Amino acid sequence: TYYLALLLATKGDTEDARITFQQAIDSGHRDHAPAAAYGLGRLLAGRGDIAGARIAFQQAIDSGHRDHAPAAAYELGRLLAWQGDSAGAQNAYRHAINSRHADHAPEAAVKLGNLLARQGDIAGARIAFQQAINSGHRDHGPMAALGLGAMLHEEGDVEAALAAYQQAISSGNDEVVPTAAWNLGLLLGQQGDATGARAAYQVAIDSGHGDHVPMAANNLGLLLADQGDAAGARASYQLAIDSGHRDYAPTAAYNLGVLLADQGDAAGAQAAYQVAIDSGHRDYAPMTANNLGLLQ
């Protein structure tokens, strides 16, 4: 019945799937019952039946199953956090963490760290993030290092933030490295370490990430412009422009226009400004139009 319920859910027959999941739960099978409770919880959550989903997830948790109990605890934590029940979410995440499940424990630790960080519980968040990092999980460990770095960056703990960002970058994780490198570049730039910032931004650019390449290229352009490297700044801005990113292409076009105008290249500045205007960006299009008017 459990596999039939999965098939029904996949086909979108949610009501028959609900009934069949419940039959599998009622069977009391040591594996299929907790699996069905977890599946039912997800099904009901997707249908907006929060109360029913909570009950189903709790059934899976209470089963103590080595896989489905921590999976349900993680999903219950996400559900309760979305509902604004912070205390309940924390308890659910900690249940998953305490299970020591290879995947769900570090996954829950990252979520718990993010939740506690948003609430200002820095000490608790550090512990949660560190638990995920210590797990050595190929995805959640680097994600925790990134979360820890971002939190410490905001808190002004520069040395610890630098170490966390570097740990995230060193993981080589394709999803984490671009963000961590961009954040590291920003932090190093704020600290006046232009060389380190350039290297970090270049890591983000080399990642090929659709968002972080233009973000890093634009920031690198600003950094190089401040250092008097106009040619390098132009190349970086152009890279961001060529990406076509909805936000950073017009931002870079505006910045390039400002740079060229300062250099006395009115024609080049006008062309760059026009790119930003043509983008229709809610901020940079009108701002650039004003600059273009002043240029003319």
Side-chain angles (χ1 to χ4, degrees):
T1 52
Y2 167 65
Y3 294 110
L4 176 59
L6 284 178
L7 179 62
L8 292 169
T10 301
K11 290 184 174 182
D13 189 352
T14 57
E15 182 55 26
D16 283 343
R18 183 191 66 78
I19 293 169
T20 310
F21 273 134
Q22 190 60 56
Q23 290 173 336
I25 293 168
D26 293 341
S27 74
H29 191 280
R30 66 180 183 275
D31 291 319
H32 294 163
Y38 171 71
L40 179 59
R42 293 190 53 148
L43 177 71
L44 294 176
R47 291 174 57 175
D49 182 356
I50 305 305
R54 291 179 66 162
I55 291 170
F57 283 139
Q58 193 61 54
Q59 285 180 302
I61 293 168
D62 292 343
S63 74
H65 192 278
R66 64 185 180 277
D67 293 319
H68 304 305
Y74 171 75
E75 292 294 339
L76 179 59
R78 292 181 61 207
L79 179 64
L80 294 176
W82 179 69
Q83 288 288 299
D85 182 356
S86 175
Q90 289 181 45
N91 287 336
Y93 285 142
R94 288 194 172 98
H95 193 288
I97 293 167
N98 292 337
S99 74
R100 299 180 182 274
H101 190 276
D103 294 317
H104 299 304
E107 186 177 32
V110 173
K111 290 291 186 182
L112 178 59
N114 288 330
L115 176 62
L116 294 174
R118 288 194 300 270
Q119 293 184 327
D121 183 356
I122 306 305
R126 289 184 73 154
I127 292 171
F129 283 136
Q130 196 61 54
Q131 285 176 309
I133 292 168
N134 292 344
S135 74
H137 193 279
R138 64 184 181 278
D139 295 320
H140 305 307
M143 187 63 70
L146 174 60
L148 178 60
M151 180 185 73
L152 295 173
H153 185 168
E154 187 173 342
E155 288 296 304
D157 189 346
V158 174
E159 291 303 318
L162 290 173
Y165 284 147
Q166 194 58 61
Q167 186 171 14
I169 293 168
S170 297
S171 73
N173 185 283
D174 291 341
E175 293 300 316
V176 171
V177 168
T179 307
W182 186 82
N183 286 356
L184 179 60
L186 189 63
L187 178 56
L188 290 172
Q190 291 169 346
Q191 295 299 304
D193 182 357
T195 301
R198 289 178 64 166
Y201 286 139
Q202 194 60 54
V203 170
I205 291 169
D206 292 342
S207 73
H209 192 277
D211 291 321
H212 293 292
V213 167
M215 289 169 65
N218 179 68
N219 277 30
L220 180 57
L222 290 170
L223 181 67
L224 294 173
D226 285 343
Q227 291 186 303
D229 182 357
R234 290 179 65 166
S236 292
Y237 288 143
Q238 194 61 54
L239 179 62
I241 293 167
D242 292 343
S243 74
H245 192 277
R246 63 184 180 278
D247 292 317
Y248 286 96
T251 303
Y254 171 82
N255 288 335
L256 178 58
V258 170
L259 174 67
L260 295 174
D262 288 344
Q263 290 187 309
D265 182 356
Q270 184 172 345
Y273 284 149
Q274 196 61 53
V275 170
I277 293 168
D278 291 344
S279 73
H281 192 276
R282 64 184 182 279
D283 296 321
Y284 282 97
M287 189 163 63
T288 305
N290 180 66
N291 277 29
L292 182 58
L294 294 173
L295 183 66
Q296 295 171 337

